[in-house]
Amino acid sequence: MTHPVKRYHPAYIIVELVSTAKGLFGFYILLFLLKSNSTAGWVIWGRYALLAATAVSVLSIFAKWIFNRYELSNKTILFREGMFVKKQKTVSWDRIHSHRSNTTFIHRWFGLTSLTMETGTSGENAQFEFPVITQREKVRILSYLEQKQNRDESKDGIKPERTVHFQATRKDLIKASFTSLSFLAIFPLLSAIYFNLAEFFSIEESAESAWHYLLDHVWILIVLFIAAMILSIFIGFVKTYMKYGNYVISDDQERIYIDKGIGNEVSYSISKNKVQAVRVEQSIVKRMLGLVSIKLISAGSFEGEKEEISSLYPFMPKREAYDMLHTILPHYPIKEEMERFPLKVLWLKLFQPYYLTIAAVVGLWIFKMEWIWIAGIVFGVSILLRILDYWFTSYTRHNQTVQIRKGGWLHETFVTHRDRIQQVTVKHAWLDRKFGVATIMFSNRANPSHESLLFGVSKEEAGIFYEWYHKKSVSG
């Protein structure tokens, strides 16, 4: 059975017009407001080019709404695009790995949403989008997808219930706003505004006199600083609240569901059997607060937004995050006790060439000889980073899983299953052989392919790892 060919909702025109206006707004401010009295050639021609680009964009939006259509059939979704050059794209239902819904402010005004479906490939056919559809149409498409893939319906036709594992509270959002340091964004923003205004208006003298006045009245400076901090903290909380408010993580037997956002609502799901690996990240601030960010590396990550789409709530307490992960994905256990590398690995790291220091010395020698001392700082930082990298690097294999932990400034723990590893490479250079160590590289299927590298493994363990991986073909 084939359903009728359908256009997107007419509000597609308004959504795209608003998006175009947002993209061109800065150019209109520059050419028609800030440069309103200018007679320079580039300004005059820039105005004509901007008006022409606007006209072409508007006509293109109307043409896309008229000629872009989609059609659902028993086995595939067919997308028809183009006015002069016709193009058809087809995706079968069983190739769709995950999907995402995004409801912006404009969508909400009309009770609409967007739906993006992700396949396991890369390039042009990585994802297929329904940019503006009704909520009812979204439900219809997803129910059709579930029916065709026989994933989310039981034998009696009742969908399995979801289990909620995490729901962000106000306390979580406050902690997230401080951990993300988003409240500090106001200071570079004010600086950018000042320098942009200084380019068009003569405000240097006024700003300098105001600064001297504030230095003479320190109490005013303190009050302004406190007010700026309060304002920036408020803005940071609002920004975090809009992005992570209503954050809910749930699952059923087949999929993981994530819903988030205030105003701009986003919901997406990840098939559990498509998860290739789990990555746990901790910055220095998160380590101090006992928080972690868990990211799922899957075969169908959304192109251009892989980190955002595959990430669970990025400011979750460590113990709570591990418990939730073990409940949702029991095949990816995270172990705290891991094997550290011997001290000879640190010496090997320190003996390796310092290419960044060499580049700094050469560059400063040629262009700024009097600043050659900066190369010493670069050398010191390089040594510190290598020491931290050694200190925080550890490794373990347990049954069918392998776990790597490394990173000084950004602490990263990576765990994957043997069956999810696509390729393993073991290599050792001349100096590595003298120290009796090797480097293991293995890749997991993702978009793009995710590669992991572990330096400093003993030759014996590298050989055992290689044999351990190849046993999967025998056991499979």
Side-chain angles (χ1 to χ4, degrees):
M1 178 181 176
T2 300
H3 291 255
V5 179
K6 300 192 68 172
R7 283 196 186 100
Y8 301 115
H9 194 278
Y12 170 87
I13 298 173
I14 299 177
V15 172
E16 291 299 312
L17 287 175
V18 171
S19 178
T20 301
K22 287 169 60 178
L24 299 178
F25 180 75
F27 294 104
Y28 274 98
I29 291 295
L30 173 64
L31 296 174
F32 288 93
L33 182 61
L34 298 178
K35 293 291 185 178
S36 59
N37 297 324
S38 175
T39 57
W42 70 270
V43 175
I44 302 298
W45 285 107
R47 290 171 182 167
Y48 286 122
L50 182 58
L51 292 174
T54 302
V56 171
S57 298
V58 171
L59 292 176
S60 175
I61 290 170
F62 279 91
K64 285 181 179 179
W65 178 74
I66 293 173
F67 292 99
N68 289 6
R69 305 181 184 187
Y70 65 92
E71 177 183 346
L72 308 181
S73 69
N74 285 334
K75 296 182 178 181
T76 63
I77 311 173
L78 175 64
F79 293 87
R80 298 176 179 175
E81 302 174 352
M83 179 172 59
F84 299 111
V85 179
K86 301 291 185 179
K87 182 170 66 173
Q88 290 190 170
K89 296 191 299 182
T90 304
V91 57
S92 60
W93 294 106
D94 56 8
R95 283 185 55 215
I96 298 172
H97 290 172
S98 53
H99 53 80
R100 176 192 59 175
S101 176
N102 188 13
T103 307
T104 66
F105 285 107
I106 307 299
H107 285 102
R108 285 172 60 87
W109 288 347
F110 299 96
L112 304 172
T113 188
S114 68
L115 178 64
T116 303
M117 293 186 170
E118 161 71 13
T119 67
T121 60
S122 59
E124 184 181 2
N125 296 321
Q127 60 187 33
F128 296 84
E129 183 180 11
F130 301 87
V132 181
I133 56 177
T134 63
Q135 294 285 351
R136 182 177 179 180
E137 180 69 1
K138 183 191 95 170
V139 171
R140 186 179 76 90
I141 295 172
L142 292 182
S143 62
Y144 205 76
L145 171 66
E146 293 168 359
Q147 179 184 358
K148 293 301 176 183
Q149 296 187 338
N150 293 319
R151 286 192 301 214
D152 295 330
E153 289 187 343
S154 59
K155 293 181 180 180
D156 56 2
I158 301 176
K159 295 182 180 180
E161 293 185 1
R162 298 185 190 180
T163 301
V164 176
H165 297 279
F166 174 80
Q167 192 164 5
T169 63
R170 182 176 298 179
K171 181 180 178 181
D172 294 321
L173 295 174
I174 293 174
K175 194 180 294 186
S177 65
F178 279 95
T179 307
S180 64
L181 303 179
S182 58
F183 63 92
L184 297 179
I186 190 174
F187 295 105
L189 177 62
L190 292 176
S191 176
I193 292 174
Y194 170 78
F195 286 112
N196 277 280
L197 290 176
E199 185 177 351
F200 301 104
F201 305 102
S202 301
I203 62 173
E204 290 86 353
E205 295 182 1
S206 301
E208 185 176 356
S209 61
W211 176 247
H212 287 305
Y213 178 82
L214 291 175
L215 290 178
D216 293 335
H217 301 78
V218 180
W219 67 272
I220 299 180
L221 186 62
I222 295 174
V223 170
L224 290 176
F225 178 78
I226 294 174
M229 284 299 298
I230 294 174
L231 178 62
S232 63
I233 291 172
F234 175 75
I235 293 174
F237 176 77
V238 171
K239 181 181 177 182
T240 304
Y241 180 75
M242 297 295 289
K243 185 174 183 179
Y244 296 108
N246 290 339
Y247 206 111
V248 179
I249 301 175
S250 60
D251 80 326
D252 56 29
Q253 293 182 350
E254 302 292 337
R255 306 182 72 84
I256 302 170
Y257 302 91
I258 300 177
D259 301 279
K260 66 174 184 176
I262 303 294
N264 186 10
E265 299 176 357
V266 178
S267 62
Y268 50 91
S269 70
I270 304 170
S271 178
K272 290 183 180 181
N273 62 9
K274 301 300 180 183
V275 175
Q276 304 293 305
V278 173
R279 187 168 70 219
V280 181
E281 295 180 353
Q282 276 188 301
S283 63
I284 293 179
V285 176
K286 287 183 179 179
R287 254 181 278 175
M288 294 170 58
L289 297 175
L291 305 177
V292 297
S293 172
I294 296 182
K295 298 180 179 180
L296 307 180
I297 298 174
S298 64
S301 297
F302 286 92
E303 187 176 7
E305 298 185 42
K306 180 173 75 68
E307 298 299 327
E308 185 69 25
I309 292 303
S310 61
S311 177
L312 303 182
Y313 187 73
F315 309 100
M316 196 179 299
K318 183 178 179 179
R319 191 70 265 159
E320 182 181 349
Y322 283 6
D323 291 341
M324 182 190 69
L325 182 63
H326 294 163
T327 301
I328 295 177
L329 297 170
H331 297 301
Y332 293 93
I334 297 179
K335 295 188 172 295
E336 290 296 326
E337 297 298 326
M338 300 178 65
E339 180 182 348
R340 293 277 303 278
F341 290 164
L343 190 61
K344 65 179 181 180
V345 176
L346 172 60
W347 290 113
L348 178 57
K349 286 179 178 288
L350 295 177
F351 286 154
Q352 290 182 326
Y354 294 82
Y355 295 111
L356 184 59
T357 302
I358 295 173
V361 170
V362 173
L364 292 170
W365 184 278
I366 296 175
F367 299 105
K368 277 288 183 181
M369 183 61 183
E370 62 272 22
W371 289 1
I372 195 70
W373 54 271
I374 296 179
I377 298 177
V378 174
F379 180 65
V381 171
S382 299
I383 292 178
L384 176 61
L385 290 177
R386 296 186 184 197
I387 293 174
L388 290 175
D389 183 61
Y390 164 77
W391 185 260
F392 288 106
T393 298
S394 53
Y395 156 82
T396 187
R397 274 188 304 107
H398 179 71
N399 294 333
Q400 305 299 312
T401 62
V402 57
Q403 181 174 313
I404 298 172
R405 180 172 294 157
K406 58 183 179 179
W409 302 116
L410 180 63
H411 208 45
E412 178 183 304
T413 301
F414 178 87
V415 57
T416 187
H417 199 277
R418 182 175 66 178
D419 294 337
R420 300 302 191 182
I421 298 176
Q422 285 192 311
Q423 180 180 344
V424 170
T425 303
V426 177
K427 68 175 185 178
H428 41 84
W430 176 84
L431 190 59
D432 298 343
R433 293 195 295 271
K434 295 300 180 182
F435 279 80
V437 299
T439 298
I440 297 176
M441 295 183 294
F442 56 91
S443 60
N444 295 85
R445 182 186 177 193
N447 181 24
S449 177
H450 184 279
E451 293 188 352
S452 302
L453 184 147
L454 184 62
F455 172 80
V457 181
S458 66
K459 289 193 300 183
E460 295 76 16
E461 173 57 28
I464 294 173
F465 185 94
Y466 193 80
E467 294 298 325
W468 169 80
Y469 168 70
H470 280 283
K471 284 181 182 179
K472 81 170 187 176
S473 59
V474 177
S475 61

